[in-house]
Amino acid sequence: MKHDISRRSVLGSLGLGASLLATPAWARGQNMHAGHGGHGGGSGGKKLIPAGFDEVSGDVINLSIGAGHRIIEGRRGPGVAVNGSVPGPLIRLREGQNIRLNVINTLDVDSSVHWHGLLVPFQYDGVPGISFPGISPGQTFAYEFAVRQSGTYWYHSHSGLQEQSGHYGPMIIEPRGGDKVRVDRDYILLLSEFTTLDPHFIMKRLRTGGGYFNYRQNTLTDDYPMSAEERRMWGKMRMMPTDIADIGAPTYRFLANGRGPSEGMEYLFRPGERVRLRIINGSSQSFFNVRIPGLSMTVVASDGQPVRPVEVDEFQIGTAETYDVIVEPGAGVGAAAAYSIVAESMERSGMALATLASAPGARAAVPALRAPPVLTMGDMGMNHGGRMNNGAMDHGSMAHGSAPSAKASPDMAMSMDGMKMRDTTLLPPDVAIGPGIDMVSMAPVDKMDDPGLGLRDVQHRVLNYAMLAARDPHTEVREPSRLLELHLTGNMERYMWSFDGRMYSAVSDIPIRFAWNERVRVKLINNTMMAHPIHLHGMFFEMVNGQPAASQPRKNTMIVQPGASAQFDLTANEPGDWAFHCHLLYHMHGGMMQTVTVAGPGAVT
């Protein structure tokens, strides 16, 4: 067996330089290996953890989890590193290889690694309490599995709140038989956040008041229109129309490959080259709106799965999603020497920033933050265009390829007379009614064609889920045999989050059960006023987005917009117990998580 190979940075933030090399150039931070801090010692070591990452490959790879502190733009905060850096090393694998990943925990608390989006035996999925006990301090756990896929993925802790402190890293799996996407350069852009605060302090503050970190409290002098009637309705909901994200700047600094906006993240190019950006949202709690002013992007993959190329100017990436995009900087009309890659946080309190540069140090103008978005009546589930039947939701046709249901404009004016935002009679009888539910969407409708908060009225081309189609047709086109409806529920004031009104602690022994190879359509109804990126472990699903069954895009994480619904088709062909949760870290720890159990072949269900 080959042992792990580490490729060290030789040009700091410039990666491997401007020459055309077969291997990609990774920006790993300046002099990142001085004071290497993750291979030894527990949390008492307080070693400096540098930004950026190495690359490891081979059939046996060793990963060490350690603790220390990080300094971003002069601010110091707690850190958890993998192999001494944040992000952790790029793990490069090959489709078809057998891999052994030895994970050593040098922390003084339990830890774990979850391989996000990878098809693995459930005992190697890395979720304590569901698939394995976790990795105790001082212990090593060996993950062994065959690599059955290709594409852009990532990994992160599923223990405590370690992900917030830096326990995450990128992963690329090379396709068997060669890559069908031809590029001259291949870069990773991993988006995340940094905070000086201990994540447990953040969780405690959210529990005592969900709006604690919202620095955009609405007042009578706000410059966005709101009637007295609307203000009363928001007051009844105990939520503000400015509460787009639980946490933003200045609590967070938004990062590109572990580096702050002023810390010079840079990717080199030669004019006319085809450059692939593998964009990973490895944040704990943030959505980003990604654009490159002056440059279009062609989306070619989502969550590691190839899609038909679609050209856009901007897209929203939810927590845990990945997108591969192709750009051709410095070519054609309006060619420039540099381009700013702007990842603006959804609530527009800050941005992660990187540069495509034709020469070291070349820079482009950085646009100012745009006006913050506000929630609308549509985000409160008051879409009068939604289909209702005697107060109950019409689930729509089970036929493949059915178009998203018509909906009213989210900004349309409407009377709120008689509207009851806690009318639990709209919920099915199996939803647990209690203090964990503070809102019930009155008329949730499919919003696959919604580009996301803040992007509905921009004048350029913006990606939405309805635009995605699988590049390669699926062979699995069976009609679903049943519909499973799940409600995303929560109480923002108490910071309680759940599925069907039941927090994870209350349902951990009552899993969602699927028969072996069962074909199911899952409908998620978001009864909250926050967008939720819902992630299913162990399997891909096909989004029901108006495409024919064979062309529905495969994903493992899907944003469900506020007050809306979304559907996916699932073939339950990976036996075992799997986590199913909102990938906003504090929502998951606040209860929005369940276990999915898939029976093995021949099992009686």
Side-chain angles (χ1 to χ4, degrees), residues 70 141 210 240 353 394:
R70 303 160 67 193
F141 184 84
M240 293 164 287
L353 184 67
D394 177 6

Side-chain angles (χ1 to χ4, degrees), residues 140-163:
T140 298
F141 184 84
Y143 296 82
E144 297 183 86
F145 51 87
V147 180
R148 299 158 48 193
Q149 64 207 92
S150 62
T152 303
Y153 302 96
W154 66 297
Y155 59 92
H156 58 85
S157 173
H158 234 285
S159 298
L161 299 168
Q162 295 167 12
E163 190 179 341

Side-chain angles (χ1 to χ4, degrees), residues 117-434:
L118 263 62
L119 302 173
V120 299
F122 83 94
Q123 65 268 29
Y124 296 126
D125 189 49
V127 182
I130 293 181
S131 56
F132 84 138
I135 309 172
S136 299
Q139 298 299 306
T140 298
F141 184 84
Y143 296 82
E144 297 183 86
F145 51 87
V147 180
R148 299 158 48 193
Q149 64 207 92
S150 62
T152 303
Y153 302 96
W154 66 297
Y155 59 92
H156 58 85
S157 173
H158 234 285
S159 298
L161 299 168
Q162 295 167 12
E163 190 179 341
Q164 176 74 90
S165 297
H167 186 339
Y168 50 79
M171 180 180 296
I172 294 176
I173 305 176
E174 303 290 352
R176 182 190 290 112
D179 199 335
K180 293 182 180 180
V181 178
R182 300 301 177 188
V183 297
D184 301 300
R185 297 185 188 251
D186 201 347
Y187 290 114
I188 287 174
L189 171 56
L190 195 158
L191 304 170
S192 61
E193 322 110 339
F194 166 79
T195 178
T196 62
L197 302 177
D198 185 291
H200 295 281
F201 172 83
I202 292 176
M203 188 69 196
K204 180 179 179 180
R205 284 291 181 253
L206 290 170
R207 285 282 198 194
T208 56
Y212 181 88
F213 296 102
N214 181 8
Y215 294 93
R216 294 182 56 232
Q217 309 287 338
N218 54 298
T219 69
L220 288 173
T221 60
D222 291 330
D223 57 5
Y224 52 85
M226 183 182 297
S227 67
E229 186 179 23
E230 288 175 314
R231 290 182 185 277
R232 284 195 298 272
M233 181 59 72
W234 285 108
K236 290 179 181 179
M237 286 309 306
R238 301 188 183 95
M239 190 171 175
M240 293 164 287
T242 58
D243 202 348
I244 305 298
D246 295 331
I247 311 167
T251 305
Y252 278 159
R253 284 287 192 273
F254 300 107
L255 309 181
N257 288 9
R259 308 183 73 177
S262 65
E263 293 179 329
M265 182 66 224
E266 184 177 274
Y267 305 103
L268 294 176
F269 72 89
R270 286 178 177 169
E273 288 182 329
R274 282 171 56 86
V275 178
R276 172 165 49 195
L277 296 174
R278 300 176 184 261
I279 302 174
I280 302 168
N281 187 346
S283 71
S284 293
Q285 198 75 6
S286 303
F287 290 65
F288 294 97
N289 296 328
V290 180
R291 71 193 195 275
I292 308 176
L295 200 59
S296 62
M297 301 176 284
T298 299
V299 178
V300 295
S302 177
D303 289 357
Q305 301 298 292
V307 297
R308 295 176 195 164
V310 54
E311 188 173 286
V312 298
D313 300 305
E314 188 168 8
F315 63 89
Q316 184 170 103
I317 183 168
T319 306
E321 288 189 299
T322 75
Y323 283 102
D324 292 5
V325 303
I326 304 295
V327 296
E328 296 186 29
V333 178
Y339 301 84
S340 292
I341 306 173
V342 178
E344 192 175 43
S345 63
M346 182 172 63
E347 82 292 348
R348 295 177 179 166
S349 66
M351 66 173 68
L353 184 67
T355 301
L356 282 164
S358 60
R363 290 293 179 266
V366 177
L369 291 169
R370 293 174 291 188
V374 294
L375 295 168
T376 68
M377 295 300 99
D379 298 314
M380 295 172 73
M382 290 186 175
N383 303 74
H384 283 183
R387 293 173 292 173
M388 300 288 291
N389 182 14
N390 296 324
M393 287 306 302
D394 177 6
H395 299 304
S397 170
M398 288 290 289
H400 280 299
S402 57
S405 58
K407 64 180 186 295
S409 165
D411 297 310
M412 70 178 292
M414 58 185 69
S415 170
M416 286 174 278
D417 292 341
M419 292 186 175
K420 298 179 180 179
M421 298 306 297
R422 291 187 180 84
D423 186 357
T424 55
T425 63
L426 295 175
L427 298 172
D430 56 342
V431 173
I433 308 302

Side-chain angles (χ1 to χ4, degrees), residues 546-590:
Q547 298 288 344
S551 299
Q552 291 177 168
R554 300 180 76 214
K555 285 178 66 64
N556 58 62
T557 305
M558 179 175 69
I559 301 170
V560 188
Q561 296 292 342
S565 66
Q567 300 181 97
F568 63 78
D569 291 337
L570 170 70
T571 299
N573 56 8
E574 298 290 338
D577 295 330
W578 306 101
F580 182 51
H581 61 91
C582 176
H583 219 288
L584 298 177
L585 181 65
Y586 299 102
H587 287 196
M588 181 181 73
H589 280 265

